[in-house]
Amino acid sequence: MSTPAKGQPGTRRYQCFYCGTVYDEALGCPEDGIPPGTLWEDVPDDWVCPECAAGKADFALDEDW
Amino acid sequence: MMASQAISAPPHVPADRVIDFDLYNFPVEGLEYQATMRRIFQSNPARVLWTPHNGGHWIVKNNQDVATVLADNDHFSSRRIMVTTEDQQRPPLVPLQLDPPHHAPYRALLQAALSPKAVGKLGDRARELSIELIEGFKRDGHCEFIGQFAQHLPIAIFMEIVGLPAEDRPYLTEVAETAMRGETEEIRNEAAGKLMMYGMAKVAERRANPGNDLISTIVKAEVEGKPIDDFPLTGMILLLLLGGLDTVASTLGFYAQFLATHPEHRRQLVENPELIANANEELLRRFPIAILAREVKADFTLDGITMKAGEMVLAPTPMDGLDEHKFADPLTVDFNREKPGANSTFGGGVHRCVGSMLARTELRIFLEEWLKRIPDFAVKPGFEPKVSARSVATITRLELVWDPASVK
């Protein structure tokens, strides 16, 4: 299986506006039951930032990553 | 609080919900503003309380209800955010006092300037400035922390964001302090008027000569296809000045007094600097400074009590971070606490503080750079710091001392 190119689904990173916490698709968020490789669009809408409890909508794509 | 005397309530307020609490004049035990407020609210076991002070208003007091009041825009409006009438004399603070969806385009302007990416660059500057300030007085063995550090670091960074001259800092700091916590409503409104006049003079300057600062961005921006009118623009500038000049400075005072009086916590961070990021969140949880209020927009029933449209409700942020059902042993500061950052210190819902990333960054940098250089310090013997509070609590003066031989 080939590794997706940087910036493509599976490698994207999203950052919390309020505290800077990063959701990395490659890593997922196992402590919240979200396995590595979970695409951002598949993260449940009611998921919240594990550090500051901001909503999923408060995360933005890190375009520099 | 009032002396013991009969207090009356409207007919729809059950007598067992009435509490004698004046947000703007309750006896704070030492510097324990947040813990005193919690103790007073917990003296009545009911979930929703009502006080006759400040026009009469409801109080919610657990983490879920605070979150509900801040997030439920169908029932609670931020059109009024203080439990007095005085802010009605001012232009609404934009976007804070606009309900969704009207707040969104204004907030987007601020978000762009305060995003994690933008703050990353500001953080470098905040670190430089922190080091410069601390290096300037560390060998003196003493400082007045509020005037020499807390009112410098965040305010200087804010002034760079909005492109204001550094020499205006003392004037603006003093006027903002008066606008927030001046003795009478007249004095506070007069100071707010001075801030607005100052801000609008800058707006006129930037209209003529736009730069790369946030005021220029706002002046040039269009909302719904047209430039922002002077009235909402004045409210935006006032919000920026009040938020940018006061809140982080006030929080820094609570951080410094805690560390000055808790040598074991200080030592823990000096020896384990990797704990600082979590310690920052824990201190934010323990020492919220902003007390938020909302206007009931449509009748809302909570715990069998109906809050009626037009009434005010206080959503005290300390009652989230200090709720024992959310955070065990909440009055204890534990730098190893798991996920202390999930609190309402920065508010909640669509009006959650737009500057929280910058605030977190400045506060963390203070902890990192101060403790590296001045690892041991105390409140000057005989000096008794005091809390001054209205909608935002602050420590007005904080004399600190240390052994100049111990600095690094």
Side-chain angles (χ1 to χ4, degrees):
Chain A
M1 198 169 79
S2 61
T3 307
K6 189 176 167 184
Q8 294 303 302
T11 69
R12 295 171 299 184
R13 289 170 55 152
Y14 289 79
Q15 189 168 31
C16 174
F17 176 81
Y18 293 104
C19 74
T21 293
V22 169
Y23 175 82
D24 185 329
E25 289 183 328
L27 303 175
C29 188
E31 63 184 296
D32 287 347
I34 300 171
T38 302
L39 301 184
W40 181 245
E41 45 270 39
D42 296 329
V43 171
D45 288 340
D46 60 358
W47 179 77
V48 298
C49 173
E51 294 302 324
C52 78
K56 182 181 173 187
D58 295 316
F59 280 68
L61 178 67
D62 180 354
E63 289 173 350
D64 296 335
W65 168 243
Chain B
M1 290 199 295
M2 297 195 317
S4 59
Q5 62 186 60
I7 44 182
S8 59
H12 67 293
V13 178
D16 64 353
R17 304 300 179 119
V18 178
I19 188 171
D20 183 7
F21 174 75
D22 181 350
L23 173 64
Y24 304 131
N25 186 26
F26 69 95
V28 175
E29 294 149 10
L31 299 180
E32 284 288 3
Y33 176 78
Q34 299 82 3
T36 305
M37 181 180 286
R38 176 180 185 265
R39 184 186 57 69
I40 293 170
F41 293 159
Q42 290 195 336
S43 68
N44 183 319
R47 192 168 145 193
V48 181
L49 304 176
W50 189 88
T51 175
H53 293 274
N54 299 303
H57 61 88
W58 298 102
I59 301 165
V60 293
K61 47 177 276 199
N62 74 35
N63 77 82
Q64 290 172 332
D65 296 340
V66 168
T68 297
V69 170
L70 296 179
D72 180 349
N73 302 302
D74 292 333
H75 293 95
F76 300 99
S77 168
S78 62
R79 190 176 72 88
R80 288 194 286 154
I81 53 170
M82 293 177 73
V83 287
T84 67
T85 53
E86 70 187 65
D87 61 339
Q88 291 172 33
Q89 308 302 316
R90 306 175 183 174
L93 301 175
V94 175
L96 180 57
Q97 288 182 263
L98 294 180
D99 288 335
H102 306 292
H103 78 298
Y106 299 100
R107 187 175 165 98
L109 294 172
L110 304 183
Q111 279 187 317
L114 295 165
S115 69
K117 190 174 169 183
V119 168
K121 293 173 192 157
L122 295 168
D124 295 340
R125 179 71 188 110
R127 191 175 301 279
E128 275 175 24
L129 185 56
S130 290
I131 293 170
E132 189 184 313
L133 289 169
I134 300 165
E135 289 289 336
F137 54 63
K138 73 177 186 184
R139 290 195 172 75
D140 296 345
H142 63 89
C143 77
E144 195 289 288
F145 180 80
I146 305 302
Q148 289 185 258
F149 189 86
Q151 289 182 340
H152 270 266
L153 170 68
I155 295 171
I157 297 299
F158 166 75
M159 303 228 358
E160 290 185 17
I161 295 171
V162 290
L164 298 179
E167 61 267 26
D168 289 356
R169 187 187 58 80
Y171 169 76
L172 287 174
T173 305
E174 188 186 329
V175 179
E177 168 62 30
T178 307
M180 295 297 285
R181 286 172 289 270
E183 213 162 297
T184 65
E185 181 174 335
E186 190 184 353
I187 289 171
R188 292 189 291 274
N189 278 332
E190 188 187 326
K194 284 183 185 171
L195 283 180
M196 285 186 275
M197 281 175 59
Y198 175 92
M200 291 313 284
K202 296 298 168 190
V203 163
E205 281 176 28
R206 305 298 151 81
R207 276 186 175 138
N209 292 300
N212 294 320
D213 58 276
L214 182 52
I215 292 179
S216 295
T217 302
I218 293 169
V219 165
K220 287 185 286 185
E222 292 195 345
V223 169
E224 293 167 354
K226 52 181 188 176
I228 302 173
D229 291 339
D230 275 2
F231 191 64
L233 193 59
T234 308
M236 264 189 115
I237 300 295
L238 183 60
L239 175 61
L240 271 178
L241 291 172
L242 290 175
L245 293 170
D246 190 71
T247 50
V248 181
S250 296
T251 303
L252 279 168
F254 281 95
Y255 273 40
Q257 70 79 25
F258 176 80
L259 291 171
T261 52
H262 291 77
E264 67 290 1
H265 284 81
R266 212 167 55 228
R267 178 68 35 210
Q268 189 183 15
L269 294 186
V270 169
E271 291 172 359
N272 306 280
E274 71 280 4
L275 283 179
I276 285 179
N278 204 57
N280 192 24
E281 300 298 327
E282 173 68 348
L283 290 168
L284 280 166
R285 176 196 71 77
R286 179 62 180 79
F287 298 110
I289 49 139
I291 307 302
L292 309 177
R294 295 288 185 263
E295 181 181 333
V296 182
K297 195 166 154 186
D299 288 6
F300 187 76
T301 300
L302 185 62
D303 192 33
I305 297 291
T306 299
M307 303 178 189
K308 293 187 175 179
E311 294 178 334
M312 292 299 292
V313 55
L314 199 67
T317 53
M319 300 311 288
D320 180 63
L322 300 183
D323 184 341
E324 68 276 20
H325 299 293
K326 186 168 177 181
F327 297 102
D329 193 11
L331 294 180
T332 296
V333 171
D334 175 3
F335 292 154
N336 286 303
R337 187 185 294 277
E338 282 191 28
K339 304 195 184 307
N343 59 59
S344 296
T345 293
F346 287 110
V350 299
H351 293 295
R352 189 167 171 159
C353 174
V354 73
S356 62
M357 184 69 200
L358 178 60
R360 283 184 154 99
T361 302
E362 291 171 341
L363 293 163
R364 177 175 48 75
I365 287 170
F366 155 67
L367 292 172
E368 290 170 353
E369 300 304 334
W370 183 284
L371 292 172
K372 251 187 237 173
R373 291 169 175 78
I374 309 176
D376 282 310
F377 57 102
V379 176
K380 183 179 178 182
F383 177 73
E384 286 188 22
K386 290 188 175 57
V387 170
S388 171
R390 284 189 60 80
S391 294
V392 176
T394 200
I395 294 172
T396 44
R397 282 180 65 79
L398 185 60
E399 299 280 359
L400 298 178
V401 291
W402 56 88
D403 178 358
S406 71
V407 301
K408 294 175 181 169

